[in-house]
Amino acid sequence: MSHSLKASMIIDKSYQIAPVDERIYGSFIEHLGRAVYGGIYEPDHPEADEQGFRKDVINLVKQLQVPIVRYPGGNMVSAYNWEDGVGPKEERPRRLELAWRTIENNQVGTNEFADWAKKVDAEVMMAVNLGTRGIDAARNLIEYTNHPKGTYWSELRRSHGYDQPHNIKTWCLGNEMDGPWQVGQKTAQEYGKIAKEAGKAMKLVDPTIELVACGSSNTDMPTFPEYEATTLDIAYEEVDFISLHQYYGNRTNDPANYLAKNLDMDHFIKTVTATCDYIKAKHRSKKTINLSFDEWNVWYHSNEADKQIEPWTVAPPQLEDVYNFEDALLVGSMLITFLQHADRVKMACMAQLVNVIAPIMTENSGRSWKQTIYYPYLHTSIYGRGVALKPILSSPKYDSKDFTDVPYVDSAAVFNEEEEVSIFIVNKHLHESIDLSVDLRSFEGFQLVEHVVLEHENLKAVNTSAEESVKPHSHGISELQDGYLTTRLSKTSWNVIRLKNS
Ligand code: AHR
């Protein structure tokens, strides 16, 4: 007799959360470590294109179908002079980069990054410096990038070889301005005021843009969530999104507790949503502020190594987390959490994209490869577009050090116009498989397409340039009969079950 655990779920066409904004599959490239130099850009690499961009990396990014990439920071943007990164490369200054204590040679800047984004079919989400600079630099930058011609900054762009404007639509008003590590840290009052005024000037230059205001750097900040409330109270009419950032780690090697951390993310999203709606009510406003979760990931593996890095070098290997299998499971659960909040989380950026806490790794002059976390990101980005459905789930639960009533099963489902349903599921149980029954009766005529599984005996297994030991297979055990899907979810596994109307 089988003693396997059981769970059940109903997924119904009409239990809809909201259309998925594809920008939740965004990512982030900061001038930090080897993200730019040695990551996306390496002119001497055998795979470099005519502009010095690595074609092997472009190919891996394109597979992910990343719709939007945040740039150029991150902490780096708070002391960045964007003018250093445009014009003839040989005239660009080498500067001390204060956030990460490196040398920035400015060989890649706004125009090159816009070119790279086009090559990977992504939009740019541009951040402006509200640390050391402010309204003037921000309005000049948007005139440079978005104004067609006939003015000082637009003509300067044209003289740099870019006749057409880049038309960047999404802009971040600074980065983590509450953080004491930020150059130009600001109180919520100070930040709210500069965000409002910079945003106002930027929208005067181009009224079609959308603006993201900084929220707290994470939920542990002493001023969370008052920082969000005060900022929005001041800048409500100028901004469109509030930013959330969160990183997790398994520092005490407690996988059960670690895999539950998306519950913290869920709580974070609910708190910020409530804060936005409180200010909306206070202002008697019709406008809704949505959430841009524009930095999220696992980040802890590289913390010790980073302390050994020599300051003031160009593109040292900073924040190079080597991700293991359990990290991929948590990343999968975090992506599921975004889908569960598709009505309010409209943008999200995995931080980051290449080499720096990233799904894609490279060797200088050498190979590139996929980290474990690449796969849940790939699967949700490719199959998770459409309308997010609300699975009604009944799952066995567990308690861990920081969480109670953690469902072993996490799930989200997306239904699209091509009449496909994708169900994303994590089984967090460390030892047991779970038999899941899914009531899919509203999807009459649908057939099972595939059941993809990411699993590994060893939670600490990693991928390297030489061997991809954590990779998905399509031999998941699932059966669809009379509108019910029965599936066996292996212990600690990421699952993608796809169905299509035949
Ligand atoms: O993504 C790495 C860093 O994390 C970013 O620069 C900063 O915004 C955050 O603290």
Side-chain angles (χ1 to χ4, degrees), residues 28 30 32 70 74-76 100 175-176 181-182 245 247 295 299 319 351-352 356-357:
F28 177 27
E30 178 168 2
L32 156 57
R70 189 165 174 253
N75 295 337
M76 172 270 189
W100 305 102
N175 177 70
E176 296 189 349
W181 57 87
Q182 209 66 226
H245 291 181
Y247 297 96
E295 285 190 33
W299 175 13
L319 281 63
Q352 299 190 9
V356 172
I357 42 174

Side-chain angles (χ1 to χ4, degrees), residues 66 95 109 113 181 210 232 306 316 398 433:
V66 182
R95 297 259 190 217
F113 190 75
W181 57 87
E210 291 191 303
L232 289 177
D306 283 341
Y398 68 99
S433 61

Side-chain angles (χ1 to χ4, degrees), residues 322-492:
V322 176
Y323 291 116
N324 59 31
F325 172 57
E326 68 184 8
D327 299 329
L329 293 176
L330 180 62
V331 161
S333 287
M334 289 161 97
L335 286 156
I336 284 174
T337 303
F338 292 144
L339 287 170
Q340 290 168 345
H341 289 283
D343 53 337
R344 294 305 287 271
V345 178
K346 298 290 178 185
M347 294 195 279
C349 301
M350 177 185 264
Q352 299 190 9
L353 187 53
V354 185
N355 288 332
V356 172
I357 42 174
I360 297 168
M361 292 300 290
T362 70
E363 293 161 339
N364 290 346
S365 325
R367 296 195 246 194
S368 50
W369 67 99
K370 299 169 181 169
Q371 295 234 55
T372 61
I373 63 169
Y374 186 94
Y375 287 106
Y377 184 22
L378 174 78
H379 295 147
T380 46
S381 176
I382 291 180
Y383 302 123
R385 298 182 192 216
V387 174
L389 301 177
K390 185 169 178 48
I392 309 297
L393 174 70
S394 165
S395 164
K397 293 178 176 158
Y398 68 99
D399 292 342
S400 72
K401 186 175 134 293
D402 299 322
F403 304 93
T404 46
D405 287 336
V406 182
Y408 281 112
V409 175
D410 263 347
S411 184
V414 176
F415 178 44
N416 69 23
E417 279 169 0
E418 282 78 49
E419 298 268 289
E420 292 165 344
V421 186
S422 301
I423 311 171
F424 305 102
I425 313 169
V426 173
N427 175 6
K428 300 182 181 191
H429 204 297
L430 301 182
H431 310 291
E432 303 275 338
S433 61
I434 296 181
D435 286 338
L436 174 70
S437 157
V438 189
D439 178 344
L440 288 164
R441 283 175 301 168
S442 73
F443 295 98
E444 215 186 320
F446 279 59
Q447 305 288 318
L448 188 63
V449 176
E450 61 174 349
H451 176 172
V452 178
V453 186
L454 189 69
E455 58 186 335
H456 203 286
E457 263 312 303
N458 179 5
L459 286 175
K460 310 298 179 194
V462 300
N463 293 343
T464 64
S465 68
E467 197 199 348
E468 188 171 87
S469 100
V470 181
K471 59 178 174 223
H473 64 76
S474 300
H475 314 303
I477 303 170
S478 280
E479 202 187 332
L480 182 66
Q481 221 175 23
D482 301 329
Y484 282 88
L485 178 87
T486 48
T487 182
R488 175 153 289 192
L489 308 169
S490 317
K491 66 171 184 171
T492 50

